[in-house]
Coordinates of all heavy atoms in Angstrom, one line a residue:
N1 N 101.4 99.1 98.1 CA 100.6 98.0 97.5 C 100.9 97.9 96.0 O 101.8 98.6 95.4 CB 99.1 98.2 97.8 CG 98.6 99.5 97.2 OD1 99.1 100.0 96.2 ND2 97.5 100.0 97.9
G2 N 100.2 96.9 95.4 CA 100.5 96.6 94.0 C 100.2 97.8 93.1 O 101.0 98.0 92.2
A3 N 99.2 98.6 93.3 CA 98.9 99.7 92.6 C 100.0 100.8 92.7 O 100.4 101.4 91.8 CB 97.6 100.3 93.0
G4 N 100.5 100.9 94.0 CA 101.6 101.8 94.2 C 102.9 101.4 93.4 O 103.6 102.3 92.8
A5 N 103.2 100.1 93.4 CA 104.3 99.7 92.6 C 104.1 99.9 91.1 O 105.1 100.3 90.4 CB 104.6 98.2 92.9
L6 N 102.9 99.5 90.6 CA 102.7 99.7 89.2 C 102.7 101.2 88.8 O 103.2 101.6 87.7 CB 101.4 99.1 88.8 CG 101.3 97.5 88.9 CD1 99.9 97.1 88.8 CD2 102.2 96.9 87.8
G7 N 102.2 102.0 89.7 CA 102.3 103.5 89.4 C 103.7 104.0 89.3 O 104.1 104.9 88.6
A8 N 104.6 103.4 90.2 CA 106.0 103.8 90.2 C 106.6 103.3 88.9 O 107.5 104.1 88.4 CB 106.7 103.1 91.4
I9 N 106.2 102.1 88.4 CA 106.8 101.7 87.1 C 106.4 102.6 86.0 O 107.2 103.0 85.2 CB 106.3 100.3 86.8 CG1 106.9 99.2 87.8 CG2 106.5 99.9 85.4 CD1 106.3 97.8 87.7
I10 N 105.2 103.0 85.9 CA 104.6 103.9 84.9 C 105.5 105.2 85.0 O 105.9 105.7 83.9 CB 103.2 104.2 85.0 CG1 102.3 102.9 84.8 CG2 102.7 105.3 84.2 CD1 102.4 102.5 83.3
A11 N 105.6 105.7 86.2 CA 106.4 107.0 86.3 C 107.8 106.9 85.9 O 108.3 107.8 85.2 CB 106.2 107.5 87.8
D12 N 108.5 105.8 86.3 CA 109.9 105.6 86.0 C 110.1 105.3 84.5 O 111.2 105.4 84.0 CB 110.5 104.6 86.9 CG 111.1 105.2 88.2 OD1 111.4 106.4 88.1 OD2 111.2 104.5 89.2
M13 N 109.0 104.8 83.9 CA 109.1 104.6 82.4 C 108.9 105.9 81.6 O 109.0 105.9 80.4 CB 108.1 103.5 82.0 CG 108.4 102.1 82.5 SD 107.1 100.9 81.9 CE 107.5 100.8 80.2
G14 N 108.5 106.9 82.3 CA 108.3 108.2 81.6 C 107.0 108.3 81.0 O 106.8 109.1 80.0
L15 N 106.0 107.5 81.3 CA 104.7 107.4 80.7 C 103.8 108.3 81.4 O 103.9 108.5 82.6 CB 104.2 105.9 80.6 CG 105.1 105.0 79.9 CD1 104.6 103.5 80.1 CD2 105.2 105.3 78.4
D16 N 102.7 108.7 80.7 CA 101.7 109.5 81.4 C 100.7 108.6 82.1 O 100.5 107.4 81.8 CB 101.0 110.4 80.4 CG 100.3 109.7 79.4 OD1 99.1 109.3 79.6 OD2 100.8 109.4 78.3
G17 N 99.9 109.2 83.1 CA 99.0 108.5 83.9 C 97.8 107.8 83.1 O 97.4 106.8 83.4
I18 N 97.4 108.6 82.1 CA 96.3 108.0 81.3 C 96.7 106.7 80.5 O 95.9 105.8 80.5 CB 95.8 109.1 80.3 CG1 95.1 110.3 81.0 CG2 94.8 108.4 79.2 CD1 94.7 111.4 80.1
F19 N 97.9 106.7 80.1 CA 98.4 105.5 79.4 C 98.5 104.3 80.4 O 98.1 103.2 80.1 CB 99.8 105.8 78.8 CG 100.3 104.6 78.0 CD1 99.8 104.3 76.7 CD2 101.3 103.7 78.5 CE1 100.3 103.2 76.0 CE2 101.8 102.7 77.8 CZ 101.3 102.4 76.6
G20 N 99.0 104.7 81.6 CA 99.0 103.7 82.7 C 97.7 103.1 83.0 O 97.5 101.9 83.1
R21 N 96.7 104.0 83.2 CA 95.3 103.5 83.5 C 94.8 102.7 82.3 O 94.1 101.7 82.4 CB 94.4 104.6 83.8 CG 93.0 104.1 84.1 CD 92.0 105.3 84.5 NE 92.4 106.0 85.7 CZ 91.5 106.4 86.6 NH1 90.2 106.3 86.3 NH2 91.9 107.2 87.6
G22 N 95.2 103.1 81.1 CA 94.7 102.4 79.9 C 95.2 101.0 79.8 O 94.5 100.1 79.5
L23 N 96.5 100.8 80.2 CA 97.1 99.4 80.2 C 96.3 98.6 81.2 O 96.1 97.4 81.0 CB 98.6 99.5 80.6 CG 99.6 99.9 79.5 CD1 101.0 99.9 80.0 CD2 99.4 99.0 78.2
M24 N 96.0 99.2 82.4 CA 95.3 98.4 83.4 C 93.9 98.0 82.9 O 93.5 96.9 83.2 CB 95.2 99.3 84.7 CG 96.5 99.6 85.3 SD 97.4 98.1 86.0 CE 96.3 97.7 87.4
L25 N 93.2 98.9 82.2 CA 91.9 98.6 81.7 C 92.0 97.5 80.6 O 91.1 96.6 80.6 CB 91.3 99.9 81.1 CG 90.9 100.9 82.1 CD1 90.5 102.2 81.3 CD2 89.8 100.5 83.0
V26 N 93.0 97.6 79.7 CA 93.1 96.6 78.7 C 93.4 95.2 79.4 O 92.8 94.2 79.0 CB 94.3 96.9 77.8 CG1 94.6 95.8 76.8 CG2 93.8 98.2 76.9

C-alpha cells in the first residue's frame, strides 16, 4: 500500500524512521 511504498522511499533515502514519520505529520 501507499504507506509501504513511502516507507520504502524513506529507507532507500537512508533516512531514519522518526524523520519519515515527521514528514508525514508535517
